[in-house]
Amino acid sequence: MDVALVEGSVCLQDKCSVDEIKQTRENAAIVVAMGGCACYGNITRFARGGQQNQPQMESYVPIGDLIKVDVFIPACAPTPEQIRNVCVMAYLLLKGTKEQKDLATAYLKPLMDLAARGNESCGCDLITDVINQGLCMGCGSCAASCTVRAITMEYGKPNVERDLCIKCGACYAQCPRSFFNTDVISQYEAINEAIMAALQ
Ligand code: SF4
Ligand code: SF4
């Protein structure tokens, strides 16, 4: 495979899934973690076993706990355009001309940086990486995604109750500004043209 997209976290009690993710790493040039669960565990961090159909399954981890991941698409859920663009750009990074590789590098760098940053994330990261950087636009997605209600919106900005946070990463995965791609704003047209040309 040139580019492998992996969705969802991995259940450690499911040997088949554990083997599959390792084989994916061995056989793919670029591995993309697609969505909050693959990147950070997200809601599956809450799993404690006892589900009726598969009670033996009780531990889920993001794929980065088991293999090296090259690119994150952290949203929950990513848009079809995001998924398409990452696939095309990852392919051009491997097989494109020099100009295409340069554009692909610019496009993918923030998502590769996220993957290199690690697969743990908490409400404090949202404060450090988004709110304190002046990137928060007050959309409220983080508060809506937090299952333990550790985030409330106050005066249009999220307030994180750190003692309640269980570090599931859902808010970080859901925040559209945690992977805001400032590097490519000036190259947007060229990137869009490269993607459309590659698709034809
Ligand atoms: S603030 Fe909530 S959503 Fe964010 S990491 Fe903590 S528990 Fe998860
Ligand atoms: S999801 Fe991100 S941009 Fe939206 S309110 Fe939360 S921190 Fe701000």
Side-chain angles (χ1 to χ4, degrees), residues 86-133:
V86 168
C87 287
V88 172
M89 282 312 199
Y91 182 75
L92 292 181
L93 189 65
L94 295 173
K95 308 270 169 118
T97 62
K98 178 172 180 326
E99 190 186 349
Q100 288 170 325
K101 283 184 182 179
D102 288 346
L103 286 173
T105 302
Y107 180 83
L108 291 173
K109 186 177 178 302
L111 302 176
M112 292 175 123
D113 287 348
L114 265 189
R117 177 185 168 279
N119 46 30
E120 281 195 12
S121 170
C122 67
C124 296
D125 296 321
L126 202 67
I127 295 172
T128 308
D129 295 355
V130 179
I131 300 163
N132 289 357
Q133 302 299 322

Side-chain angles (χ1 to χ4, degrees), residues 115-195:
R117 177 185 168 279
N119 46 30
E120 281 195 12
S121 170
C122 67
C124 296
D125 296 321
L126 202 67
I127 295 172
T128 308
D129 295 355
V130 179
I131 300 163
N132 289 357
Q133 302 299 322
L135 293 172
C136 174
M137 57 183 177
C139 69
S141 298
C142 52
S145 67
C146 181
T147 322
V148 298
R149 302 282 185 265
I151 304 178
T152 48
M153 296 301 287
E154 291 178 24
Y155 302 105
K157 288 287 161 63
N159 180 45
V160 182
E161 195 70 49
R162 297 169 197 225
D163 290 347
L164 293 177
C165 174
I166 62 154
K167 301 180 171 48
C168 71
C171 56
Y172 202 82
Q174 190 71 346
C175 172
R177 294 301 174 98
S178 64
F179 51 102
F180 190 55
N181 199 340
T182 48
D183 292 357
V184 299
I185 289 175
S186 62
Q187 293 172 283
Y188 178 77
E189 281 187 25
I191 285 171
N192 206 30
E193 283 170 14
I195 291 170

Side-chain angles (χ1 to χ4, degrees), residues 18-87:
V18 173
D19 290 344
E20 274 182 354
I21 193 69
K22 290 181 177 170
Q23 284 168 18
T24 302
R25 178 66 277 179
E26 285 167 17
N27 293 309
I30 294 177
V31 174
V32 179
M34 186 174 82
C37 293
C39 296
Y40 298 113
N42 211 332
I43 197 164
T44 65
R45 291 274 198 198
F46 292 86
R48 296 289 183 270
Q51 293 93 336
Q52 268 187 353
N53 52 351
Q54 293 178 314
Q56 77 281 11
M57 294 192 174
E58 55 185 22
S59 310
Y60 294 80
V61 293
I63 65 170
D65 274 16
L66 298 171
I67 61 166
K68 178 181 176 295
V69 181
D70 302 302
V71 179
F72 273 11
I73 315 178
C76 181
T79 65
E81 290 78 13
Q82 264 183 308
I83 298 166
R84 178 199 67 188
N85 293 355
V86 168
C87 287

